[in-house]
Amino acid sequence: MDIQKITILGGTARDGSREPLASFELRMGDVASIVGPTGSGKTALINDIGMFANANTPTLRRVLINDEVPPASFREDPASNPIALITQHTSFLSDLPVQRFLGLHAKIRRSERPETIVEETLQFANQLTGEPIDVDSAMTELSGGQSRALLIADAVVIGNSPIILLDEIENAGIDRSRALALLGNYQKIFLFVTHDLHIALHSTYRLVMRGGAMQDLIVTAETESRMATRLDHLEKTMIHFRDRVRAGLPLSEDDLNTRLAQMPGVQP
Amino acid sequence: MKVVICAGPPTSGKTTVLKQAARKLLAREHPLAYLKIDVQYADEDEMFSDQLGIPARKIYSGELCPDHCSVLVLGDAIRWAESEGADILLVESAGLCLRCAPYIERSLGIAVLEATSGMNLPRKIGAMLSLADLAAVTKIDLVSQAEKEVFRANIQEAAEIPVVETDALHGINIDPVVARIENMGHTTEPWVLRGNPPVSTCTICAGKKDIGWEKHFGIVRGLEFDLTYRGQ
């Protein structure tokens, strides 16, 4: 099936009232961030999407693909499921070795090139994580960052899913800037559940959650996108000093002044 | 009377699947009854009667094999459910030995497996899965989608039956189970076990505790030889 867009029709908030945002839709190439405080219903929303909710989950939301109720085959046959959901789990429960697990998944997804696709998946994953993955180790032995990197790579490369849902990728030890850049090479719909400024501002939309309900859909303004570069600089500055503290090194005020002066858009 | 028989390893989520399905069935005004078969302890019957207000009871198999106990008491249980005015009897088995399957002809057999168990579980539980009509995979919120897909493929390799992934704790995706119960036919007599029980007439069943096949009679086997008859 050629996926053009996904529509989420609002259901009810936790208190039983209608969701303020009645619906939203995303088209191929859109990147959206789901934002809101902890417990606001962000994960429930992507779970609804991942299960093609049809007024049969506690939120009573409905998901349409290309304006239609998705066929049952999406849920019954993994090979035709257009959605990949990457949850917050940073560990696998599968006791199989990495190579074998990925091979199995490629077979289930009816990949046309099972030999090379596992290699490509591992390469993708290794770009996201600091420590390369040993293909002979059990899935359960991977670190949190490696697991998450492998899940993302698996969804993008083996699953080749047109719609990818990612729950708080910033929490695992993966390079989120590189992840965003790598994912940007693929024409897909990406939905991030995130608390991360960088990811949120590099999205086309921000979907605001509160009290279990979708409140608003904010289109990222041009000014906000411009700010993103400067805020990234600030964050890198913070990380630089944090890394020094972690390494047991002293901090210098001159260093801070220099870095702040290098901020894009600052008049000397 | 429709008889729904739910089996699965301990703590796999059988009770939760049945409870969520029961909630939806009650909302659609189907009168229900519930029977729990367990070895030595169960309180699920109280949960069903207190929380859902349906006739519920339990039986401890004790010295008997729980699946054999189920064969012995199920006739009485169906008649009891009828006398309570129920249209659907939900039976939850203890599900321990993985050699028998408690499902009977024209019942709906549901095998409950947890997604968090090993990837090879579907290959290990034999008749409990292969003789079921439906596999319900629980605790799906705890595993990755890739693992769910591999687990589903492993189930369907062991048994060509529909698989429903459910987060029963949160009542998510229980509808396909409810639909199967609503659409099933009546469990008419004769009530017959679907699969063959294992060959098990042996002196251990009769209470002989000695270790080693040479101490026993009837159908025996050793580590290096297969089933054979020993005796007169």
Side-chain angles (χ1 to χ4, degrees):
Chain A
M1 189 187 207
D2 194 16
I3 309 287
Q4 281 129 31
K5 66 171 180 176
I6 179 168
T7 311
I8 287 83
L9 301 176
T12 51
R14 226 165 267 144
D15 61 10
S17 60
R18 293 286 309 168
E19 290 189 84
L21 184 68
S23 74
F24 75 91
E25 62 178 47
L26 297 173
R27 293 173 174 277
M28 254 319 138
D30 281 345
V31 178
S33 282
I34 303 171
V35 298
T38 303
S40 59
K42 300 186 296 297
T43 298
L45 175 60
I46 56 164
N47 282 336
D48 281 348
I49 300 172
M51 301 202 74
F52 304 99
N54 189 15
N56 55 354
T57 63
T59 62
L60 300 176
R61 289 189 188 113
R62 294 174 59 212
V63 175
L64 304 179
I65 303 282
N66 298 349
D67 291 320
E68 283 172 26
V69 174
S73 64
F74 280 8
R75 251 180 298 137
E76 287 159 9
D77 176 14
S80 62
N81 185 345
I83 296 185
L85 169 63
I86 293 148
T87 61
Q88 289 198 40
H89 301 291
T90 48
S91 64
F92 283 100
L93 291 155
S94 163
D95 32 18
L96 301 174
V98 172
Q99 183 93 36
R100 179 133 175 268
F101 181 87
L102 293 178
L104 266 175
H105 195 211
K107 196 175 117 198
I108 293 161
R109 283 285 186 155
R110 293 186 211 125
S111 162
E112 282 152 19
R113 43 189 183 94
E115 311 82 24
T116 54
I117 203 164
V118 171
E119 194 51 41
E120 190 185 328
T121 306
L122 286 163
Q123 274 176 15
F124 190 115
N126 283 335
Q127 287 183 71
L128 298 180
T129 174
E131 342 125 66
I133 294 164
D134 173 10
V135 295
D136 295 321
S137 65
M139 300 284 283
T140 40
E141 288 164 10
L142 300 179
S143 74
Q146 286 177 323
S147 299
R148 193 70 80 88
L150 195 59
L151 282 170
I152 296 172
D154 172 89
V156 173
V157 183
I158 292 179
N160 195 19
S161 310
I163 303 170
I164 300 200
L165 316 173
L166 302 112
D167 199 353
E168 298 194 26
I169 55 165
E170 67 266 23
N171 284 357
I174 68 161
D175 185 329
R176 65 198 157 77
S177 297
R178 191 170 296 165
L180 275 178
L182 267 175
L183 295 175
N185 295 333
Y186 293 82
Q187 181 74 1
K188 295 177 184 299
I189 295 173
F190 289 104
L191 252 157
F192 291 90
V193 166
T194 191
H195 295 286
D196 185 83
L197 190 60
H198 180 81
I199 296 172
L201 292 183
H202 283 86
S203 303
T204 334
Y205 302 105
R206 301 204 292 279
L207 182 73
V208 185
M209 300 294 300
R210 203 182 314 125
M214 305 185 291
Q215 304 289 333
D216 196 8
L217 188 71
I218 299 173
V219 181
T220 305
E222 212 174 297
T223 48
E224 287 176 329
S225 297
R226 270 207 306 276
M227 283 166 63
T229 324
R230 294 162 66 193
L231 291 169
D232 286 347
H233 183 84
L234 270 182
E235 192 169 21
K236 279 188 193 126
T237 307
M238 298 287 290
I239 291 168
H240 164 77
F241 285 105
R242 191 192 66 191
D243 286 349
R244 283 188 70 85
V245 168
R246 287 170 80 194
L249 297 168
L251 308 185
S252 115
E253 204 165 7
D254 285 347
D255 188 10
L256 177 60
N257 290 336
T258 313
R259 281 169 193 277
L260 287 179
Q262 284 166 351
M263 176 119 131
V266 168
Q267 302 301 323
Chain B
M1 176 69 65
K2 294 177 178 182
V3 180
V4 177
I5 302 177
C6 192
T11 74
S12 57
K14 296 182 291 294
T15 311
T16 318
V17 166
L18 286 178
K19 198 168 107 185
Q20 295 288 0
R23 282 224 167 90
K24 299 224 167 186
L25 289 165
L26 287 171
R28 294 168 198 234
E29 300 183 350
H30 295 288
L32 307 177
Y34 169 86
L35 173 72
K36 168 75 185 179
I37 299 167
D38 218 319
V39 181
Q40 53 193 2
Y41 179 78
D43 56 6
E44 289 85 352
D45 56 319
E46 290 162 36
M47 186 198 297
F48 276 81
S49 59
D50 295 351
Q51 295 180 14
L52 301 174
I54 64 172
R57 55 190 296 183
K58 70 182 153 211
I59 181 154
Y60 294 141
S61 58
E63 307 290 303
L64 273 177
C65 151
D67 281 340
H68 293 188
C69 177
S70 150
V71 173
L72 296 173
V73 304
L74 201 53
D76 286 349
I78 297 172
R79 285 185 287 270
W80 161 74
E82 262 164 5
S83 74
E84 293 282 350
D87 286 345
I88 301 170
L89 171 63
L90 306 174
V91 181
E92 182 179 340
S93 85
L96 291 176
C97 99
L98 313 178
R99 178 56 189 80
C100 286
Y103 320 120
I104 64 172
E105 298 292 352
R106 294 173 296 282
S107 68
L108 180 74
I110 305 175
V112 178
L113 285 75
E114 52 188 312
T116 49
S117 55
M119 285 286 133
N120 287 328
L121 179 76
R123 297 192 178 114
K124 292 179 180 174
I125 59 171
M128 186 192 278
L129 179 62
S130 62
L131 293 177
D133 298 293
L134 180 71
V137 179
T138 56
K139 309 187 188 176
I140 52 165
D141 52 324
L142 298 179
V143 299
S144 66
Q145 184 166 329
E147 287 172 294
K148 255 188 279 181
E149 291 177 8
V150 173
F151 196 61
R152 166 183 276 262
N154 284 353
I155 291 174
Q156 292 191 317
E157 193 186 276
E160 286 176 23
I161 55 173
V163 177
V164 176
E165 279 109 359
T166 172
D167 170 4
L169 203 56
H170 300 104
I172 289 165
N173 206 31
I174 202 77
D175 285 355
V177 177
V178 175
R180 281 300 292 262
I181 297 173
E182 284 198 305
N183 296 332
M184 72 181 278
H186 287 269
T187 312
T188 50
E189 294 188 68
W191 299 318
V192 182
L193 209 53
R194 207 174 273 180
N196 293 314
V199 179
S200 67
T201 318
C202 67
T203 37
I204 304 156
C205 295
K208 205 163 184 288
K209 299 199 287 187
D210 302 79
I211 302 299
W213 60 268
E214 61 284 350
K215 306 278 177 52
H216 292 274
F217 299 98
I219 308 263
V220 298
R221 70 166 300 168
L223 187 59
E224 308 300 343
F225 64 91
D226 208 341
L227 293 181
T228 187
Y229 180 77
R230 182 166 184 271
Q232 293 181 328

